[in-house]
Amino acid sequence: MCAWMAGRAAAAPGGPYGPWLCLLVALALEVVRVDGGQAPLDPVYLPAALELLDAPEHFRVQQVDHYPPANSSLSSRSETFLLLQPWPRAQPLLRASYPPFATQQVVPPRVTEPHQRPVPWDVRAVSVEATVTPAEPHARVLFHLKGQDWPPGSGSLPCARLHATHPAGTAHRACRFQPSLGACVVELELPSHWFSQGSTTRAELAYTLEPAAEGPESCGPGGENDPGEQALPVGGVELRSADPPQYREVPLDEAVTLRVPDVPVRPGQLFSATLLLRHNFTASLLTLRIKVKKGLHVTAARPAQPTLWTAKLDRFKGSKHHTTLITCHRAGPTEPDSSTPREQSEFLWVDFVVENSTGGGVAVTRPVTWQLEYPGQAPEAEKDKMVWEILVSERDIRALIPLAKAEELVNTAPLTGVPQHVPVRLVTVDSGGALVEVTEHVGCESANTQVLQVSEACDAVFVAGKESRGARGVRVDFWWRRLRASLRLTVWAPLLPLRIELTDTTLEQVRGWRVPGPAEGPVEPASEAADEAERRARGCHLQYQRAGVRFLAPFAAHPLDGGRRLTHLLGSDWLLDVSHLVAPHAHVLDPRVALLEDGRVLVGREPGVTSIEVRSPLSDSILGEQALAVTDDKVSVLELRVQPVMGISLTLSRGKTHPGEVTATCWAQSAHPAPKQEVALSLWLSFSDHTLAPAELYDRRDLGLSVSAEEPAAVLPAEEQGAQLGVVVSGAGAEGLPLHVALHPPESCRRGRHRVPLVSGTAWLGLPPASTPAPALPSSSAWSPPATEATMGGERQVAGNVGGSMGVRGKFERAEEEARKEETEAREEEEEEEEEEMVPAPQRVTDLELGMYALLGIFCVAIFIFLVNGVVFVLRYQRKEPPDSTTGPTSPQPHNWVWLGTDQEELSRQLDRQSSGPPKVEGGCPCESGGGGEAPTLAPGPPGGTTGSSSTLARKEAGGRRKRVEFVTFAPVPPAQPPEEPTGAPAVQSILVAGEEDIRWVCEDMGLKDPEELRNYMERIRGSS
C-alpha cells in the first residue's frame, strides 16, 4: 500500500513528498492498531464497605495509579487508612461489611521507633533541664499523652517510669498521669558520685510505660532492673560540677550597665543586682535613684572596690513606693589599667530582700525603677528611667511547657473552608514535680503565619484556609512572665490542583439495556393492558454507563529555609482520598450531559462533552477539573462475573511509613454451603470497551436479576434477610451447587417475545466438579477467580421474577442447544425493534463543535477565493499572448521594424521600386502595417501609387514634409508548401540570422549602404528591449 501511495504521490505535482505521505499513513495505521488492540482489563475487587469507627480524623490513602491495590481480586479488597490522631480515648475499630455479613477488629497499636515495637499510648516526653549540678541534682522529665481525650477517672491511665543510665550506675523513678492534664513529671535525683570534679559527664534518659497499680498514686515497685530494648529514648542531660549563674545585662546608659538575676525569686530570699562601670569613666560623683513597690526592699549598697569608691544609702518611704538614693564618691585616683576603655568591671552591689507574703502563692512581678545621674552625663540621658521586673513566686518554677493534642496537622481548610484547631495548654513545672496550668498574662506568636496561626488567647493553633504552604517543625513561641517556651508542629498542605480519577472518562450507551425514563411526545390514554405495557416500553431509553469518582490530593511540607525540595506525607507516590471533604463542592459543569450522585458516582444523561469541577468554598477558584464525554455509541455487556459471598473475614496490619498507617484486607468466604445458608452475590459487568464496573454503581431498580439452580427448591429469595443481591441456599451436594445468574432490563422496559437476558454468569457454591469444566469466555486468567464461571449472552435459560426482585426456578425447560438457538433469534429481533422504534437522543452542538465548524467554513471560503483568482489570472493573461502563426512552432517570430525618416518622396519611391522591381532573392518581402496575424501577399499596384491593402508602408500626404513613424513587420520565411498550392510573396528572414544577400537586399530597400550598420542597429534595439 505504501508503494502504491508513493507512486501516486510521485506522479502528482510535488512528487518528492511521497515518502513523507507514506510515513504519515504508516504512523496512523500503527496508532489505530494499538488503540484497537485488546487492552488489559481494569482490576476488580470485592465491593465491601471498609470504615473506621471511633477515629475522628482519618483518610483513605492510595498509591498513584494503583487503585485498587495489586492484591485485590474479585473475592478480596484491600484499603490503607491514615489515622492522624492514632491514640484516641477508645481504641479505633475497623469494620468490614457486605450485607448481610459484617465483621470488625480493633486497630493494633502503633509501632514505635527505633525498635518497631507496638505501644498502646502515644506519649510525648520533654526533658525540663539540660544540665544538672550537685546543688540541684534532679533530672525532671514531663510526660504528656497526645491524641483525643481519655475517659474520666485515672483508672485507665498508665504510669511512666524514667530510667537514667550513667557509667557509674542506673537510677529509676515513675509517675502516674493526671486525668485533668493527661501529664505527669518525674523528678529523679541523681547520685552524688555521678558528678566528677572538673569534668562534665552525660547521663542517658529513657522511659517505659506500665499499668498503674492499685491506689490513686501508686505505680508499683517494679522497673528497678535495666529495661533494655523495651525503653523508649528521651535524650540526655549533662552533669556538671557547678551551675553557671543565670543573669541578664541591661545598659542604663553608655557608661553604666545593670546586671540582674534572670530567675524567679522566693519570698524571703536575698538577691543582689550588680552595676558595671566602664574603665574610661572619669566622673567623681554618681547618683543612683531606685524606686520599688511595697514587698520589696533595698537592704544595702556595697562598692566592689572600697578603696576607689564610697557609697551612701538614703531611704524615703511613700504611700505606694519606697525610694532609695545611693550616692557614690570617688575615694582615690584611678589606678592605671592596661585594658581597653570600653571594657567594664563590677562597680557596685545592691542587695534586695523580698517579703514573705506574695498573695496566695501566685507568681507576681515586682517592678524596680532605676535612674542614673552623674556630672558630664548626656542631657537626653538624665531623665531616662529603666524598669526591671522581678518575678516573685512562692513556688520554685523550673520551666514553662506548652502541651498540644497533636504534633502534626493536615491542612484541609483550603478544601472545605472549615478552620482546623489544635488545642494548646500552658503548664509550669515546679520543683518537686508539680504541674500548674496558666491561663492569664500569656503571650504567643507564630514564627510563620503563612503556615500556621495562633489564637489570641494562646489556647490553640489553627489553620483557616488562607495559608499558602506547609512546613515541618514550624515554631510557635509562648511566654508567661519571664518564662518562655516554644512548640514545634508539622503542617501538611495540599498540592493543587486536585486529582479527579474516573473509572471511565467516556460513558456510552449499553446495547439492549433499557431503563425507565420520561416518555417523549404526547401521552395517549391506553385502553388495554397490552397497550399500557407498550406505552411504558416506549417511554424507556438506553442505559448509559456509570463511573466511580474519587477526589485525591498529595500533601507536602515545604522547607523552612524557602527551598523547593518538598517532603511528602507518606511519600511522593501516595495520595489522600479527600472525596468526603470536597464532594459537597464538586459538580458537573453541564448537568444536562451528566450528573454526580452522592459525590461518588457519575451518571451519563445525554451525549455531550463536559467536565467535573471542584470549587473552593473560600475564593470560588477551581481546585480541580476533569474532562469527560458522554456519547451515543453502543457498547455491549460481554461478561457477568459472579462472586458468591457466604461471609467475610478481616485482617489488619500496621505500616512502617507513618505511625497512623493501617492496612485492612477483607476476603469473601465461599466454602461449602450449609443448609439454609444465606449467600450474597457480588456482580461485575465487563463491557466491550474494555471497562469493568461493579453492579453497586447502578440503581437497584435498573437491575433485573434472576437466579436459578438445576435442582428444584435449591435457592430461595433472600431479600427479606437484607442481602443486597442474594439468595438462601438449602444446601449443596458433595460436588457443590452451581448458581446461574442472569441480568435483564427492568420488567417495564423488556421487549421481544423471548426476553433474552443481557448477560448471564455461573457461580459455584463449594468446589466445582473437576470433570465438568465451567463454560467461560476466553479472557485473561488473572481476573477469573477459580470459583466463578461466566457465560456470554446467557447460554443457559433462566426464568423467574425480574425488574428489581430475584426470580427463582428449580429446573430448565429447554435443552441447551435449543435455548441457544432461540436466544440468538430473539436477540436479533430485539435489536431490530430497538433500531426501528427507539427515538434517538437530541443532538446538541457544543461550543467546541461550533468553533470547528467556523474554522472549516473559513478554510472553504479561502480555498474558493484562491481558485477564482487563479481562473481570472489564467483568462486575463491568455488574451495577451500572440496568436499562433501558420508556421511551425520552431519557426522564428516576426520582427517589427520602425522607420524614422523625413524624406517621404524617397520612401515612396523605394516602396514603388520594391513593388514593381523584380525580387533579388528567392521569395518576396511581404510587409504589413502593425504586427499580428498572417501577412497578406503583396499584389502589384498601379504605377507610381501604393497598394490599397493593409501592407502599405507609407503614403504621401498633403501638407508638406512631416516626420512620420511607420511600423513594418517582416514575416519569416514560410515552410515548404506542396507543389499544388500557390506560392505566396517572398518572405525575408530575420536580420540577425539572415544571410549576406538578404541583408544587402534589405539595405538597398531601406536606403542603407552598409549591411553591418543595420546589423549593429538591430542588436542595439534588441539589447535595449
Side-chain angles (χ1 to χ4, degrees), residues 918-939:
K920 300 291 183 178
V921 294
E922 182 182 0
C925 181
C927 298
E928 59 181 9
S929 65
E934 296 182 356
T937 304
L938 291 175

Side-chain angles (χ1 to χ4, degrees), residues 46 48-50 75-78 94-98 101-105 645-652 664-670:
L46 179 68
L50 298 174
S75 59
S76 65
R77 181 176 188 177
S78 181
L94 202 150
R95 187 173 187 269
S97 61
Y98 192 81
F101 309 106
T103 184
Q104 62 184 19
Q105 285 189 16
V645 180
M646 293 179 286
I648 55 175
S649 58
L650 179 66
T651 59
L652 303 179
T665 305
C666 67
W667 286 274
Q669 300 176 359
S670 57

Side-chain angles (χ1 to χ4, degrees), residues 370-493:
W370 302 76
Q371 187 175 5
L372 185 66
E373 299 176 2
Y374 59 88
Q377 188 180 14
E380 61 273 6
E382 291 181 0
K383 299 181 180 181
D384 289 346
K385 299 179 181 179
M386 195 277 295
V387 179
W388 166 49
E389 291 185 348
I390 301 175
L391 181 63
V392 181
S393 176
E394 293 184 359
R395 302 177 3 236
D396 186 7
I397 301 176
R398 293 294 177 174
L400 175 70
I401 299 178
L403 305 180
K405 288 290 184 180
E407 292 182 336
E408 68 175 349
L409 177 64
V410 176
N411 186 7
T412 59
L415 307 179
T416 62
V418 179
Q420 293 179 274
H421 297 79
V422 176
V424 178
R425 306 174 76 173
L426 289 176
V427 297
T428 57
V429 180
D430 296 354
S431 178
L435 285 176
V436 178
E437 183 178 4
V438 293
T439 57
E440 297 180 353
H441 308 290
V442 178
C444 54
E445 183 183 10
S446 174
N448 194 340
T449 56
Q450 293 184 351
V451 178
L452 189 65
Q453 303 184 50
V454 61
S455 62
E456 295 183 358
C458 301
D459 56 352
V461 293
F462 67 94
V463 287
K466 301 295 185 180
E467 294 77 17
S468 58
R469 52 197 292 133
R472 298 191 67 179
V474 61
R475 190 183 78 254
V476 180
D477 298 323
F478 298 89
W479 57 86
W480 176 74
R481 304 298 184 186
R482 303 176 65 88
L483 302 177
R484 301 183 67 90
S486 297
L487 177 66
R488 292 188 177 272
L489 296 96
T490 297
V491 179
W492 304 101

Side-chain angles (χ1 to χ4, degrees), residues 7 68 107 124 131 207 262 315 324 374 393 403 477 534 658 663 763 818 844 960 976 999 1005:
V107 176
R124 176 191 175 204
T131 59
Y207 75 95
D262 196 24
R315 299 184 180 90
T324 301
Y374 59 88
S393 176
L403 305 180
D477 298 323
E534 185 69 16
H658 190 275
T663 301
E818 240 179 59
R844 187 176 57 85
I999 296 175
D1005 188 42

Side-chain angles (χ1 to χ4, degrees), residues 235-288:
V237 292
E238 291 185 354
L239 278 65
R240 297 180 180 179
S241 57
D243 189 11
Q246 299 181 12
Y247 57 84
R248 183 167 58 121
E249 293 184 354
V250 181
L252 296 180
D253 68 352
E254 295 181 355
V256 183
T257 301
L258 178 65
R259 179 185 294 169
V260 293
D262 196 24
V263 293
V265 296
R266 305 287 297 276
Q269 180 181 352
L270 180 67
F271 63 94
S272 300
T274 305
L275 269 73
L276 306 177
L277 195 65
R278 278 189 181 180
H279 291 175
N280 60 353
F281 186 77
T282 58
S284 59
L285 176 65
L286 187 146
T287 302
L288 184 63

